[in-house]
Amino acid sequence: MSSPAVPSASRRTVLRGAALAGAAGLCASACTGGKEGGSATPTAPVDLGAKGEVPVGGARLYREQKLVVAQTAEGEYKAFSAVCTHAGCVVDKVEDGKVTCPCHGSVFDAATGKVLQGPAGAPLPSVPVKADGGKLIAGPAA
């Protein structure tokens, strides 16, 4: 007894499938942009270094720590997560009091974390921060 004939895929079909799979993987990678897993806010105190690194009336991005710190008035600091609330990308710049996300263009106020331009709909999460002996400490117990 002979087995029924099973159609085999042509070379063109196999190559087309491989190309589509590669394109899908590329899109998945590009669509996650600057996503870097982990918590959006510190789970332990983080030493950010000298408090003088944050100018009065300005803000600084601490990309490795995923934090943005603003000094709204002399000695008054506010910190926010640098993880965009839209898609979880880490913001990439702080200029003119605005925090910008590279993935989809969301813009936040550096002093309040408030959304200035979407697609993000929620503000950046606030993180406790304090000046301690000339250093900035952010996170729990700060």
Side-chain angles (χ1 to χ4, degrees):
M1 182 167 188
S2 67
S3 58
V6 177
S8 63
S10 71
R11 183 170 187 244
R12 179 177 286 166
T13 302
V14 171
L15 290 174
R16 186 179 303 142
L20 289 174
L26 182 60
C27 178
S29 174
C31 292
T32 60
K35 278 189 179 182
E36 299 171 17
S39 176
T41 59
T43 56
V46 178
D47 182 342
L48 299 175
K51 66 181 185 178
E53 296 293 315
V54 181
V56 176
R60 177 169 180 219
L61 171 63
Y62 293 88
R63 185 163 173 72
E64 292 299 313
Q65 295 83 1
K66 299 180 190 169
L67 293 169
V68 173
V69 178
Q71 187 174 182
T72 55
E74 184 70 42
E76 292 182 24
Y77 298 92
K78 294 190 178 191
F80 304 94
S81 169
V83 178
C84 181
T85 57
H86 172 247
C89 298
V90 177
V91 301
D92 69 343
K93 65 181 167 182
V94 177
E95 292 179 345
D96 301 323
K98 296 177 184 173
V99 179
T100 306
C101 179
C103 293
H104 302 105
S106 292
V107 179
F108 303 89
D109 184 298
T112 65
K114 181 176 117 179
V115 177
L116 299 176
Q117 173 183 311
L124 294 173
S126 181
V127 174
V129 64
K130 68 179 177 182
D132 185 15
K135 291 185 172 184
L136 288 176
I137 308 295

